[in-house]
Amino acid sequence: MRFDILTLFPDFFSGPLNYGILSRAIATGTVQIATHDLRAFTHDRHRTVDDRPFGGGEGMVLKPQPIFECIESLEQKYKENNINQLHTRKNECNKSIIEIAPKSTRDTSRHSVILLSAQGKPFTQATAHHLATLDRVVLICGRYEGVDERVNDLLADQEISIGDYVLSGGELAAAVVIDATVRLLPGVLGHEDSNRFESFGAADVQPNDPADGKTPDGVPRSTHGSGGILDYPQYTRPANFRGAVIPEILTGGDHLAIRRWRRQAALEKTLRNRPDLLARAPLTEEDRSYLATLQASLP
Ligand code: SAM
């Protein structure tokens, strides 16, 4: 998979991409990440990328021209001296990279051009799972008061927001999107189930399942896997830390009891922090009755 980032600050990414899982995925060639400096696509002496908004108002707006020209350069075969090839496996040449087609003919099942924007659709784990199926994703980072809307209309396939707050630029948002997506690529995490059984994980509970929500060992499936809700709390050694003792059930060796405790703890945390998730999560009868008990005990 390959990411191309269009930004005024290519050096910004040296930090986020150089640690842990991301840096390993780059080193093994699972992912390639190229940054493109938008100022390289300007034609005036001052390398101007912004201008005043039509209709008046505060601040400056990113001009369409450098962004269009940068994307158009990706529409041609990769030229090594054209981009700042910071974040790929050493000595690897990207000759195999396929072109990004113009929006009208782009195959969005393989490629996506994304404008990062506070006005975009919310970025979720489901979005990350979808992006992880693509070959190539282009991320456009805005700055100032934002980006000329024609970039959204004529270049971007989707407008994505990482949350209901306003950042000063799209670079942090791009790093978030890349991190959440790359860890879902096959082979990137050590254990293949790691990204299933965590917050917002794939549904593990099917209320209308003919198997009645049971795994072959007879243990209710509702008691492990997050199933679109938040993960359960985790504890590690020591069992007693400064007088704070972990739940005894976790050391008892009864795996069914542990699964049930974890499911209930996950439901409790979701009810407390993200009750909106419960409305669309697949829940079993056992889950519902536990939630009803919890709600009844709320003040
Ligand atoms: N005037 C814009 C508004 O009110 O929606 C905010 C512009 S913001 C200061 C500058 C850039 O930061 C945006 O063009 C976008 O690329 C990025 N940005 C800000 N908040 C974001 C968010 N929640 N998600 C993704 N990108 C964001």
Side-chain angles (χ1 to χ4, degrees), residues 91-104:
N91 304 324
E92 176 152 315
C93 187
N94 274 329
K95 293 208 174 71
S96 62
I97 294 301
I98 10 61
E99 308 111 88
I100 284 283
K103 183 169 174 172
S104 56

Side-chain angles (χ1 to χ4, degrees), residues 116-119 140-147 160-163 165-170 173:
L116 295 155
S117 160
Q119 301 147 32
I140 305 172
C141 304
R143 278 273 155 180
Y144 314 126
E145 284 305 313
V147 178
I160 285 185
S161 164
I162 63 157
Y165 38 77
V166 178
L167 301 164
S168 49

Side-chain angles (χ1 to χ4, degrees), residues 244-258:
V245 180
I246 66 163
E248 204 181 329
I249 205 159
L250 297 178
T251 54
D254 180 342
H255 295 295
L256 174 57
I258 291 172

Side-chain angles (χ1 to χ4, degrees), residues 153-187:
D153 294 340
L154 302 173
L155 290 179
D157 303 303
Q158 20 180 356
E159 190 178 8
I160 285 185
S161 164
I162 63 157
D164 290 347
Y165 38 77
V166 178
L167 301 164
S168 49
E171 287 76 12
L172 275 172
V176 166
V177 167
I178 291 172
D179 187 294
T181 303
V182 169
R183 63 193 294 286
L184 299 177
L185 295 175

